[in-house]
Amino acid sequence: MNRIPLEHYLKVIPKLRNGLEKDGTGKVETGIKFNAIYKLFQKNKIVGGRNRNKVFLDLQYYCELGNFFKKQHENEQPQFYQTNTDDYDYFEEDLKPLLAKKFKSITDNWQKLDKKKLFLKTRKKDELPKPSKELEKWVKEFDSICVITQNLMWNRETTDSNKLILAYSAIIKDTIKNINKFAKLAHSTSKANEEYVESVFIRMPFPITF
């Protein structure tokens, strides 16, 4: 399932903020209730916007990533998802635990999967088996890790800080190593379905070895 593009949230949130008015207490409301975003998505017929849980989970996904990325220049068009290179300690203390948390979730959820029911049989002889919804959901967990790693790679190429370059390189190397570990794990579950597993992981923006 595709995510609702970030641009839709970036358009409606400022619009809602500008529409806030002073209440009877003389105070200005500073928060935006999720329901207001959801209703505007429905009104504008945003694809995926009719599903309340999807709107909420996608917004939560962007907020989580946004904690570790920032605008490149305050006076220019916002360049979202650029890593926070100004504060090495913040980066070290918060981003690494986030990646560790995500890999732990992937590990725990892999153990819960029924390895005999990862693929659905198809009626056509030449057609590859289809992945189960549970397997698709598990593979989707790699999305945010790929986003973070790609941005680390981008920043590594654009920073002059040797300290940050070393930090980025270490985390990138470790992350790609972990993704490969899981690819091999999924690949080994079924000889008959190796081709499907390869087709899934080959789409990832990093070299995968089985």
Side-chain angles (χ1 to χ4, degrees):
M1 187 183 296
N2 294 328
R3 294 194 184 280
I4 297 171
L6 175 62
E7 64 187 61
H8 292 303
Y9 294 95
L10 298 181
K11 286 179 181 177
V12 302
I13 292 175
K15 183 177 180 181
L16 289 168
R17 281 290 304 124
N18 292 335
L20 293 175
E21 297 178 354
K22 291 184 178 180
D23 57 22
T25 63
K27 296 180 180 178
V28 177
E29 185 180 353
T30 57
I32 297 173
K33 293 182 179 179
F34 167 74
N35 203 42
I37 298 174
Y38 172 62
K39 285 183 177 179
L40 204 52
F41 271 34
Q42 283 191 308
K43 180 181 178 182
N44 295 335
K45 297 181 180 180
I46 302 300
V47 176
R50 294 183 63 84
N51 186 322
R52 184 184 178 89
N53 287 337
K54 177 170 176 53
V55 176
F56 175 76
L57 290 174
D58 285 357
L59 177 60
Q60 189 178 47
Y61 167 83
Y62 290 127
C63 287
E64 185 179 53
L65 287 182
N67 285 331
F68 303 95
F69 298 94
K70 66 168 191 174
K71 297 178 184 179
Q72 191 172 22
H73 300 293
E74 292 297 329
N75 60 341
E76 295 180 3
Q77 184 69 22
Q79 300 294 316
F80 285 84
Y81 297 165
Q82 306 303 327
T83 51
N84 189 340
T85 57
D86 291 341
D87 191 342
Y88 179 80
D89 292 332
Y90 174 80
F91 166 83
E92 188 75 5
E93 291 172 8
D94 293 279
L95 187 55
K96 288 178 70 176
L98 173 67
L99 287 167
K101 179 182 176 183
K102 288 183 177 295
F103 275 122
K104 184 181 186 306
S105 174
I106 288 172
T107 302
D108 293 343
N109 289 331
W110 172 257
Q111 293 172 354
K112 294 175 185 176
L113 288 176
D114 185 343
K115 309 307 183 293
K116 294 180 181 179
K117 297 180 179 179
L118 294 180
F119 305 94
L120 306 175
K121 293 182 179 179
T122 58
R123 294 180 181 179
K124 297 179 181 179
K125 291 183 179 180
D126 298 332
E127 195 174 53
L128 287 174
K130 293 183 178 179
S132 66
K133 289 184 179 179
E134 289 73 20
L135 179 58
E136 287 279 22
K137 186 177 179 182
W138 181 74
V139 172
K140 199 75 176 174
E141 290 190 72
F142 289 93
D143 282 1
S144 57
I145 292 175
C146 289
V147 170
I148 291 170
T149 307
Q150 283 184 298
N151 281 281
L152 287 176
M153 294 172 81
W154 184 90
N155 280 274
R156 181 180 61 181
E157 300 305 316
T158 57
T159 183
D160 294 326
S161 169
N162 290 330
K163 190 176 183 182
L164 282 175
I165 289 172
L166 289 173
Y168 292 159
S169 296
I171 296 176
I172 290 166
K173 183 178 180 180
D174 184 63
T175 301
I176 294 176
K177 180 181 177 181
N178 272 295
I179 291 175
N180 272 272
K181 180 185 74 175
F182 283 108
K184 290 177 182 177
L185 196 63
H187 195 256
S188 65
T189 55
S190 171
K191 192 75 178 175
N193 296 311
E194 286 182 351
E195 192 174 348
Y196 167 74
V197 175
E198 290 172 11
S199 69
V200 169
F201 281 92
I202 206 69
R203 297 198 301 262
M204 296 201 175
F206 314 113
I208 302 294
T209 55
F210 298 98

